[in-house]
Amino acid sequence: MLKNSPENIKKAAAILRTGGLVGIPTETVYGLAANALDRNAVKKIFAAKGRPADNPLIVHIADFDDIIRYNLVKEIPKSAKKLAEKFWPGPLTMIMKKSDAIPNEVSAGLDTVAIRFPSHKTAQQIIRTADIPLAAPSANLSGSPSPTSAQHVMNDMDGRIDAVFDGGMCDVGLESTVITLVTEIPRVLRPGGVTLEQLKAVLGEIEVDHAVLHKLGDDAKAASPGMKYKHYAPKANVILLKCSDEEYIDYVNKNYKYGVAALCCDEDIPYLKAKTFSLGKRNDYAAQAQRLFDELRKIDENSDVLTVYSRLPSVDGVGMAVYNRLIRAAGFEVIDLEKI
Ligand code: AMP
Ligand code: MG
């Protein structure tokens, strides 16, 4: 594990320049970085993660003009400039038509490429020092929760990659918002730290892909290939309850038995009989986003937890991103107490 120091920034950059893999901190989650323009380096990412080859990677840059400097896209849509002015550097990934400089391994055979300029200072320093764009999916084993600390990366990736750079806990804690700019109306493919409301304030009309909040049909084609894979599921069975705060506590207490736990909020803890994993204060969606993956990993560490009850989150603001991840963790299993 590399601690934060100027020498270690140089070390990480050197590994990346010579085709190696480094786990790097970003403000969303830790990324597993490789030179985005070197297909052999990129192939190592898929091998280390056990990632299906048809799941494309996000290319990370450290300046808007890197898109031009590295010749990453066919053309830059006007909407990309507007969004970048407002949200870059930050947790927003934009999809544009790819150029031939992007290896097919990065785009997983699509004719588009996903690009992000992270706000995390260490990520920026590593990208600038390496002087290459970095392909970097989340640094977890495919199927496990995304890593929000260097230790999470070590747990999944030790022995599979060349180094992990320790940048502390991630601020946002969930992966970036992904928006495609190649459709007539820009469309959110994955919700994240930049909210639908914020995007609409800049671009006006925006669509939300059906798969963001709903289960994809068995033969439906995913606009964002990552959406079709089972994601973020802990070993325990997660069940979401659509209900009021009082009903939640009542239901979990009535169903309490060996193996039952609650993924809940701080305010619930004194009233629950079950073991609790708290996401933070009830109305603090940003805290809930930041802690979600860490709590899911903690649940996995407790082999005596068999069933976890959580509330169906609100879809307002960052809540939509929490909803999107939790409903996948629950395999779309929701009990609507209002209808019972
Ligand atoms: P990760 O970096 O692990 O959060 O995964 C990146 C996600 O971005 C994947 O799940 C993809 O579905 C999505 N993505 C990346 N590139 C594209 C693209 N060209 N078109 C659509 N979705 C993309
Ligand atoms: Mg991922």
Side-chain angles (χ1 to χ4, degrees):
M1 187 146 22
L2 300 174
K3 293 279 165 209
N4 196 353
S5 72
E7 297 76 55
N8 281 342
I9 299 261
K10 281 192 202 136
K11 207 178 258 180
I15 296 171
L16 290 163
R17 279 193 72 80
T18 49
L21 299 185
V22 182
I24 62 165
T26 83
E27 72 279 18
T28 57
V29 301
Y30 273 71
L32 182 54
N35 181 355
L37 304 179
D38 173 351
R39 71 176 76 236
N40 290 323
V42 169
K43 279 185 191 161
K44 292 184 198 164
I45 295 181
F46 286 89
K49 279 179 63 81
R51 185 174 175 102
D54 66 350
N55 196 357
L57 310 178
I58 296 172
V59 176
H60 293 69
I61 54 176
D63 191 89
F64 184 84
D65 287 340
D66 283 354
I67 301 178
I68 302 160
R69 189 155 76 96
Y70 297 121
N71 179 31
L72 301 180
V73 303
K74 284 230 159 83
E75 60 172 342
I76 301 178
K78 280 201 186 82
S79 49
K81 287 195 186 114
K82 283 195 199 163
L83 290 175
E85 267 167 32
K86 192 84 187 163
F87 304 115
W88 274 8
L92 179 68
T93 295
M94 298 194 245
I95 293 176
M96 303 175 223
K97 287 270 179 213
K98 88 173 195 69
S99 74
D100 295 339
I102 302 288
N104 284 331
E105 284 77 6
V106 171
S107 60
L110 299 173
D111 61 356
T112 51
V113 61
I115 304 178
R116 187 166 97 81
F117 174 5
S119 65
H120 198 287
K121 292 292 171 242
T122 309
Q124 292 179 359
Q125 285 166 344
I126 293 173
I127 298 168
R128 287 187 189 129
T129 309
D131 203 24
I132 42 176
L134 298 180
S138 49
N140 52 301
L141 285 173
S142 226
S144 76
S146 293
T148 52
S149 72
Q151 191 54 51
H152 292 164
V153 181
M154 289 295 279
N155 294 348
D156 277 19
M157 291 294 165
D158 197 16
R160 294 171 167 260
I161 63 179
D162 299 300
V164 180
F165 199 101
D166 188 0
M169 276 293 277
C170 300
D171 275 350
V172 179
L174 294 180
E175 305 88 340
S176 58
T177 303
V178 177
I179 188 169
T180 178
L181 305 177
V182 302
T183 47
E184 203 169 312
I185 300 166
R187 177 180 297 188
V188 172
L189 302 184
R190 178 174 78 186
V194 173
T195 67
L196 179 63
E197 293 85 344
Q198 289 175 307
L199 293 167
K200 280 186 174 163
V202 175
L203 291 188
E205 197 181 2
I206 289 189
E207 292 173 345
V208 176
D209 198 78
H210 184 73
V212 166
L213 299 177
H214 305 97
K215 191 174 180 171
L216 265 181
D218 284 341
D219 32 51
K221 192 169 176 300
S224 172
M227 291 273 199
K228 71 178 182 231
Y229 292 106
K230 194 174 173 191
H231 249 172
Y232 325 119
K235 293 177 199 97
N237 188 25
V238 179
I239 299 172
L240 297 178
L241 303 174
K242 190 172 175 198
C243 59
S244 68
D245 296 332
E246 295 73 31
E247 284 169 327
Y248 174 73
I249 289 165
D250 253 25
Y251 188 92
V252 178
N253 283 341
K254 277 199 188 116
N255 287 277
Y256 176 66
K257 59 179 184 224
Y258 173 81
V260 167
L263 180 61
C264 59
C265 301
D266 289 351
E267 292 89 338
D268 306 321
I269 295 172
Y271 305 105
L272 287 167
K273 289 190 231 165
K275 186 173 192 130
T276 56
F277 297 85
S278 179
L279 295 171
K281 294 261 182 286
R282 200 171 275 160
N283 294 320
D284 189 348
Y285 298 150
Q288 292 169 26
Q290 195 200 21
R291 285 167 64 164
L292 179 64
F293 288 142
D294 194 34
E295 294 306 318
L296 289 179
R297 279 179 181 256
K298 280 189 194 139
I299 289 170
D300 263 346
E301 284 160 16
N302 283 261
S303 55
D304 55 340
V305 174
L306 307 175
T307 304
V308 183
Y309 291 109
S310 194
R311 285 186 190 79
L312 191 67
S314 147
V315 294
D316 294 339
V318 182
M320 185 184 279
V322 178
Y323 184 111
N324 171 272
R325 307 311 191 273
L326 249 186
I327 197 143
R328 282 168 172 74
F332 293 87
E333 193 174 351
V334 179
I335 299 176
D336 187 348
L337 293 182
E338 286 151 19
K339 286 203 183 140
I340 290 176

